[in-house]
């Protein structure tokens, strides 16, 4: 695993309080066990997260942040933008959105 490349370069990991030294067979075993447990835990978390998202989808739950504008507001934004009487800043203030959100909604 990770101990071999370190030891090839002459390095070692020591943990003074528990005598955790990767220069010995016992130290490498413990180090690799901890690494395996960490990887196992990461995979469990990933699996549980995916299962939770799948369960939410089966209940018709859409994740993520709600849209800043609904369809009616988006149409009004486009209409006012085409009309050209208001500046971009004024449109943003009118709809309480950022410039990025305004341009994203004009593209859609």
């Amino acid at each position: 695993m990770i101990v071999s490349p370190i030891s090839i370069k002459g390095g070692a990991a020591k943990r003074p309080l528990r005598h955790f030294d990767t220069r010995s067979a016992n130290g490498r075993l413990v180090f690799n066990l901890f690494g395996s447990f960490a990887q196992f835990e990461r995979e469990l978390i990933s699996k549980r997260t995916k299962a939770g998202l799948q369960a939410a989808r089966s209940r018709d739950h859409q994740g993520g942040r709600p849209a800043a504008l609904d369809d009616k507001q988006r149409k009004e934004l486009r209409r006012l933008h085409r009309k050209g009487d208001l500046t971009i800043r004024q449109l943003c203030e009118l709809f309480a959105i950022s410039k990025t959100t305004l341009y994203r909604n004009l593209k859609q």
Side-chain angles (χ1 to χ4, degrees), residues 26-42:
N26 289 340
R28 285 190 299 274
L29 173 66
V30 171
F31 186 82
N32 285 316
L33 282 173
F34 286 153
S36 294
F37 286 136
Q39 182 177 354
F40 174 72
E41 184 63 26
R42 279 193 308 269

Side-chain angles (χ1 to χ4, degrees), residues 40-68:
F40 174 72
E41 184 63 26
R42 279 193 308 269
E43 290 174 7
L44 274 180
I45 290 168
S46 175
K47 184 178 178 180
R48 289 177 186 151
T49 301
K50 289 175 185 173
L53 290 171
Q54 184 63 37
R57 278 189 219 105
S58 71
R59 293 188 310 267
D60 291 330
H61 177 70
Q62 175 87 21
R65 186 174 179 164

